[in-house]
Amino acid sequence: MVKAAICFDAFEGIKRRSKCRCYSIGNGATEMLNESRLALSVVAPCFNEAAGLPEFYRRVCEVCYSVVGDSYEVLLVDDGSRDATWPIMCDIARLDHNVVAIRLSRNHGHQLALTAGLRHCTGERVLNNRCRSAGPAGTPSCDDEDNGDGARL
């Protein structure tokens, strides 16, 4: 099962880029991924997170694999970043079939970035986990919130 990195652009039509598995989806068009249902989807809106994104990805995948094996996906949503967040997301998505990269055409804010990720996730359960770089050194941090049933990431 190979997933495609998805570039979601709300202001352009569908464009396919050859050999990079990236798609632009817009103007109400949707891309349906024909896959079996996964156990877990992690939706992570990101804005200017180039410094902490690789470590965030490593940590999230490590936890997901320990909980559900290979039955998970991580949807990284670039909310109009101005740094190297998008190229890093595409590199990760090319190397890891569990990652879907989604790009918004501009900064729409955390909630709309989350909505874009939720629209494309396929998991039985969905975890919202914002990627953030904390501190001057860009040390990655995860939102560590209880979802109501005691589960934490």
Side-chain angles (χ1 to χ4, degrees):
M1 160 178 25
V2 175
K3 292 185 185 159
I6 298 174
C7 172
F8 185 101
D9 188 328
F11 304 108
E12 295 181 15
I14 295 174
K15 296 181 181 176
R16 296 180 189 265
R17 300 179 188 172
S18 63
K19 295 188 180 181
C20 78
R21 299 182 306 147
C22 296
Y23 302 99
S24 291
I25 303 171
N27 293 337
T30 59
E31 177 81 11
M32 298 302 294
L33 301 176
N34 295 323
E35 302 168 19
S36 59
R37 191 102 176 175
L38 299 169
L40 178 64
S41 293
V42 177
V43 178
C46 305
F47 179 70
N48 293 336
E49 301 298 340
L53 187 56
E55 179 63 13
F56 173 82
Y57 154 75
R58 184 195 66 74
R59 290 172 58 192
V60 167
C61 289
E62 183 178 292
V63 170
C64 290
Y65 188 80
S66 71
V67 174
V68 296
D70 201 38
S71 185
Y72 71 93
E73 65 182 349
V74 177
L75 293 93
L76 301 172
V77 183
D78 180 7
D79 189 18
S81 297
R82 292 181 220 114
D83 64 359
T85 298
W86 177 243
I88 292 170
M89 284 181 178
C90 285
D91 289 345
I92 292 170
R94 282 185 194 102
L95 297 173
D96 186 344
H97 72 277
N98 291 326
V99 175
V100 176
I102 301 171
R103 184 181 200 186
L104 302 181
S105 60
R106 63 177 178 84
N107 182 265
H108 291 275
H110 175 76
Q111 294 302 317
L112 288 178
L114 176 60
T115 301
L118 292 173
R119 183 173 184 163
H120 294 284
C121 67
T122 61
E124 293 278 334
R125 291 188 169 216
V126 179
L127 175 67
N128 166 26
N129 195 26
R130 183 173 21 167
C131 178
R132 296 185 300 159
S133 295
T139 308
S141 125
C142 295
D143 287 346
D144 188 15
E145 299 178 16
D146 191 326
N147 70 359
D149 65 3
R152 290 176 116 26
L153 179 65

